Amino acid sequence: MAVIVNWNGVDIPEELKALRKGRYVLVPIDEPPELTEEQEAGIEQVIASVEAGEAIPLDEVERAELHEGIARAWESVQAGEGRLAADVLRDLGKG
């Protein structure tokens, strides 16, 4: 879980006080890169689609990717390429 903290350099931020005891690494976040007009338009398009209820739940996407990977692996087994099937299935586990 990432916690973003704006720190004035003096006071302990509430976000840090809320963390449980343990070791943490704090890394400053540079200003985000400027987006191209095309990237901004794409993000706006995605936001509009989500707000319109047109988004696909993540579990459905993951399930579809799994079925697609299994289908590719099975096709490679049928084609006598068992090694390729093993590679496809291994790659699915990395996702």
Side-chain angles (χ1 to χ4, degrees):
M1 171 184 81
V3 176
I4 297 177
V5 176
N6 290 313
W7 187 38
N8 63 11
V10 177
D11 304 310
I12 304 285
E14 290 301 316
E15 294 88 352
L16 290 179
K17 290 179 184 177
L19 294 173
R20 66 177 187 251
K21 180 180 175 180
R23 295 174 63 188
Y24 295 87
V25 174
L26 299 177
V27 179
I29 300 175
D30 295 330
E31 289 297 316
E34 296 266 337
L35 297 177
T36 65
E37 288 182 20
E38 183 178 278
Q39 290 170 323
E40 282 188 35
I43 290 172
E44 289 172 6
Q45 209 172 22
V46 168
I47 291 171
S49 132
V50 168
E51 289 174 345
E54 299 168 353
I56 300 171
L58 181 60
D59 64 331
E60 286 183 29
V61 172
E62 290 172 340
R63 192 175 313 116
E65 289 174 352
L66 176 63
H67 286 291
E68 180 184 328
I70 291 171
R72 280 194 324 242
W74 179 244
E75 288 170 8
S76 74
V77 167
Q78 290 177 317
E81 303 167 338
R83 183 119 180 111
L84 176 59
D87 292 343
V88 169
L89 294 174
R90 184 189 66 246
D91 289 345
L92 280 174
K94 292 178 184 176

